Amino acid sequence: MPTPSYQIKNLDHLGLVAGMCRELEIAEMIDAVVPKQHDCHVTHGQALVAMLLNGLGFHSRTLHMYSDFFATKPTERLIGEGIKPEHLNDDVLGRCLDALFEADVSMLYQVMAERVVKKLGLRGDAVHLDITSFHVDGDYDHEDEGRLQLVKGYSRDHRPELNQVILELICENQAGIPVYMQAMNGNTNDQKAFAEIAKNHISCLKAAQNSRYFVGDAALYTADTLIALKQQGQLFVSRVPMTLNEAKTRVRSLSVDDLTDMGNGYAGQWQSVTYAGVKQRWLLVRSEQAYQRESHTREKHLARDTQAELKRFDKLCKQAFACEADAQQALEAFSKDLCLLEIDQPKIKKRPSFKGKGRPKKDQQPDGYVYHIQGHAITSLEKVANVRAQTGVFILATNDLTERLDMQGLLDTYKSQQSVERGFRFLKSPEFLTSSLFLKKPERIEALLMVMTCSLMIYAALEHRIREQLKAQDKHILDMKNKPTQKPTARWVFLRFDGIHELHINEAIPIITGLNEQQQIVLQVLGKRYLEIYS
């Protein structure tokens, strides 16, 4: 009797990724725009799906190692009939990246995202803008100004010695799906990038996503951006940078007694403001959590700033003034500028002035008189109390002048900005593709950034679909503490799908092994397409 032949392929959570790619018709969308031009086994759409599987397989591999990654994976089950690991080589994947670049990655991705959002039935009321950087290895030619410039700039990875590329994302706020991506030069300024988006892209995004609010962090709040948003009739929600004099003045004059309790450690106050010609409502928010978090740093700053003001007063007292009026004016200006101290019993002292060197002779008449400031600099308990009260305070701004957004609504809209920040953390995770890029051509790096954004789209779509269907069908899976949940992260679900294999015995039809009850629940709520992949 011949010895049976066994072959095992690792399926794990990759069947979920493949299922979502099929549900969203990722390969079909790509092949409709960039059909393959060469006689090869893999279309550009299938090559993109392969890169998404690799990116979400949490095994960072460069292009020439993709065949190694798929050597242990059931490629026909995941990508398509007849697809073998050796077909997924660096030449095929490189040509796919070139084709994506030629098709304009930003425009192509935006069209894809519009269809994905529609397929998932998402109806978010806001889109969120943010920006991050990835450092790149190797030297690049910067002579062509039309190409992506991989140069040094402000490094969010704390690697200022390396060249980098900037990725700008706009995400909808219901599932965190990126709806727009743009690769930019490594030295791009955040504020200028946000203004460019507001001027040239927000109108088409507004039409496509039907979002009411455009949300961003403090980099969004510039005069140019606000004017551009006003011209397009776009409502915004943004954090106000505390570097603005108007913001400093408003916070400095804020009284804790005037704040309205919002619950959960927040209190706020509405104020009407006009900035850059745009009428707005500012919400001054005090966070008890931020207050406690910043308390230690605040006390250090109080001690430092108090010493600085004492030194300034000592220097002022040594300064000679030509007349009493000048001294009084300088004293008033100094006192007005004090943040922590106050001058007790101030007075102007008249002193004789003698020309020449040495001690003046007895009964020598002075050549003139100078005036010095005297007094005692003491800590103002009221000012210190105000500084402490201002700790943990930030300002949110919106040009929605209706009462549609109450205090809590504005805060919640801004805090959903975490969806795009969570996406960046996912992209920069060491378990993902990589935080550093290794491709030789800037064009391929730009295309790879689109692939990374597509990976985030699939990840967010899966998480949304699993949560949505668990709730709709009133089912649960166990979380990390073995408690039932209807809101698992996609990362946790991926971990729970570890240990699923495709088993080949001789020429028999392959079978799936390792499925347990928790995995069956996820597959059942996701539906027939996913059950077929795992059957």
Side-chain angles (χ1 to χ4, degrees):
M1 181 177 181
T3 303
S5 172
Y6 296 95
Q7 188 179 27
I8 297 177
K9 300 285 187 177
N10 301 324
L11 180 57
D12 301 327
H13 67 278
L14 294 180
L16 300 177
V17 177
M20 181 54 69
C21 288
R22 294 176 191 176
E23 181 178 345
L24 300 179
E25 300 178 340
I26 298 297
E28 290 80 358
M29 283 192 282
I30 295 299
D31 290 334
V33 178
V34 282
K36 68 175 183 177
Q37 302 294 329
H38 302 277
D39 183 19
C40 57
H41 296 87
V42 184
T43 69
H44 291 318
Q46 290 173 326
L48 174 60
V49 171
M51 287 188 273
L52 298 180
L53 289 165
N54 176 77
L56 293 171
F58 302 109
H59 296 282
S60 178
R61 303 288 179 107
T62 54
L63 290 185
H64 69 279
M65 297 179 66
Y66 268 46
S67 295
D68 294 339
F69 171 77
F70 284 108
T72 59
K73 307 296 185 295
T75 51
E76 291 192 78
R77 185 182 294 266
L78 294 171
I79 301 175
E81 186 177 353
I83 303 298
K84 306 295 184 182
E86 56 269 22
H87 297 154
L88 303 170
N89 53 55
D90 57 336
D91 183 53
V92 169
L93 301 174
R95 284 204 302 265
C96 175
L97 293 177
D98 292 338
L100 294 177
F101 175 80
E102 291 297 329
D104 187 339
V105 291
S106 293
M107 186 62 67
L108 177 58
Y109 181 83
Q110 186 174 339
V111 172
M112 291 175 61
E114 290 175 13
R115 296 183 181 181
V116 167
V117 168
K118 185 176 181 180
K119 281 180 176 291
L120 294 175
L122 300 174
R123 296 180 177 84
D125 62 351
V127 291
H128 299 261
L129 172 65
D130 209 345
I131 197 169
T132 193
S133 62
F134 297 87
H135 57 269
V136 298
D137 293 332
D139 296 323
Y140 296 88
D141 180 15
H142 306 305
E143 293 182 1
D144 186 354
E145 294 184 358
R147 301 172 69 188
L148 185 67
Q149 299 295 301
L150 307 176
V151 295
K152 293 180 176 63
Y154 172 69
S155 176
R156 295 159 181 82
D157 299 328
H158 307 292
R159 296 296 303 274
E161 77 281 8
L162 296 177
N163 293 329
Q164 64 178 18
V165 61
I166 300 295
L167 176 62
E168 187 175 53
L169 289 187
I170 298 179
C171 297
E172 55 80 39
N173 71 332
Q174 192 173 357
I177 302 286
V179 294
Y180 178 83
M181 60 80 56
Q182 177 70 54
M184 296 180 293
N185 297 338
N187 57 359
T188 301
N189 176 271
D190 290 16
Q191 295 179 347
K192 291 182 179 179
F194 287 6
E196 182 73 15
I197 282 286
K199 291 177 182 178
N200 300 323
H201 298 287
I202 192 64
S203 58
C204 58
L205 277 171
K206 182 179 179 181
Q209 304 302 330
N210 196 28
S211 57
R212 178 175 293 146
Y213 300 107
F214 191 58
V215 186
D217 60 18
L220 179 70
Y221 199 89
T222 65
D224 288 345
T225 304
L226 298 187
I227 292 171
L229 292 173
K230 178 183 178 181
Q231 291 173 345
Q232 299 183 59
Q234 176 63 56
L235 299 177
F236 69 83
V237 171
S238 174
R239 186 163 180 162
V240 179
M242 296 306 296
T243 53
L244 292 181
N245 289 331
E246 180 71 14
K248 293 178 182 177
T249 301
R250 299 277 177 153
V251 172
R252 193 178 297 126
S253 62
L254 182 65
S255 172
V256 177
D257 296 335
D258 295 332
L259 295 174
T260 301
D261 181 47
M262 299 165 56
N264 296 319
Y266 291 99
Q269 182 190 69
W270 287 114
Q271 295 190 11
S272 298
V273 178
T274 299
Y275 179 75
V278 181
K279 293 182 179 180
Q280 307 161 43
R281 291 192 300 163
W282 279 12
L283 177 62
L284 277 67
V285 183
R286 184 178 185 272
S287 166
E288 184 62 30
Q289 296 91 333
Y291 176 85
Q292 297 297 334
R293 185 171 60 249
E294 298 170 9
S295 292
H296 178 66
T297 303
R298 178 202 62 215
E299 295 304 321
K300 290 172 61 177
H301 289 177
L302 283 174
R304 180 198 63 191
D305 295 343
T306 299
Q307 288 298 319
E309 290 189 351
L310 285 171
K311 289 181 180 179
R312 286 175 53 209
F313 183 65
D314 184 59
K315 183 177 180 179
L316 181 67
C317 290
K318 294 177 180 178
Q319 183 177 348
F321 294 90
C323 65
E324 183 175 0
D326 287 349
Q328 186 63 41
Q329 184 178 1
L331 175 62
E332 291 175 357
F334 179 81
S335 299
K336 184 178 180 180
D337 194 44
L338 289 174
C339 296
L340 300 172
L341 302 180
E342 60 184 21
I343 308 304
D344 184 44
Q345 297 179 352
K347 59 183 179 180
I348 309 300
K349 184 72 174 179
K350 181 180 179 182
R351 293 178 179 174
S353 173
F354 298 89
K355 294 181 179 179
K357 298 180 180 180
R359 180 178 297 178
K361 297 178 181 180
K362 187 177 182 180
D363 299 328
Q364 180 181 346
Q365 294 298 315
D367 297 304
Y369 291 91
V370 294
Y371 297 84
H372 287 268
I373 296 172
Q374 291 184 343
H376 302 285
I378 61 175
T379 300
S380 170
L381 297 180
E382 181 181 356
K383 290 181 179 179
V384 171
N386 286 337
V387 170
R388 286 176 173 152
Q390 293 161 16
T391 304
V393 175
F394 59 93
I395 303 176
L396 300 179
T398 180
N399 58 340
D400 186 351
L401 304 181
T402 69
E403 296 184 358
R404 185 187 296 114
L405 279 180
D406 58 10
M407 289 184 180
Q408 190 62 50
L410 179 59
L411 180 61
D412 289 344
T413 300
Y414 177 75
K415 288 176 70 174
S416 59
Q417 175 76 0
Q418 295 172 357
S419 62
V420 64
E421 294 170 354
R422 186 167 56 248
F424 280 139
R425 288 195 298 272
F426 167 79
L427 290 177
K428 297 168 83 73
S429 167
E431 296 176 318
F432 186 57
L433 280 167
T434 184
S435 60
S436 177
L437 308 178
F438 300 95
L439 299 180
K440 295 180 180 180
K441 296 167 59 178
E443 293 85 354
R444 288 189 176 183
I445 286 183
E446 187 169 346
L448 183 60
L449 287 172
M450 175 197 168
V451 175
M452 295 167 68
T453 308
C454 286
S455 297
L456 175 57
M457 175 175 69
I458 297 298
Y459 180 91
L462 259 174
E463 184 173 273
H464 172 76
R465 182 68 90 203
I466 291 170
R467 292 179 174 186
E468 176 189 57
Q469 292 303 314
L470 283 173
K471 183 177 180 180
Q473 301 180 36
D474 194 24
K475 294 186 178 181
H476 305 76
I477 65 171
L478 298 179
D479 63 14
M480 299 176 71
K481 298 180 179 179
N482 282 326
K483 294 183 178 180
T485 180
Q486 291 181 328
K487 298 183 67 175
T489 65
R491 184 73 179 98
W492 173 244
V493 174
F494 287 179
L495 290 172
R496 294 304 300 263
F497 269 67
D498 188 38
I500 302 176
H501 303 96
E502 181 187 77
L503 175 62
H504 296 250
I505 305 177
N506 295 333
E507 300 299 324
I509 297 176
I511 61 174
I512 298 298
T513 65
L515 276 175
N516 60 38
E517 181 182 357
Q518 291 290 295
Q519 296 158 351
Q520 290 282 7
I521 292 175
V522 173
L523 295 175
Q524 288 168 5
V525 299
L526 287 175
K528 180 180 178 181
R529 180 182 289 106
Y530 299 84
L531 287 167
E532 289 176 348
I533 294 176
Y534 285 89
S535 63

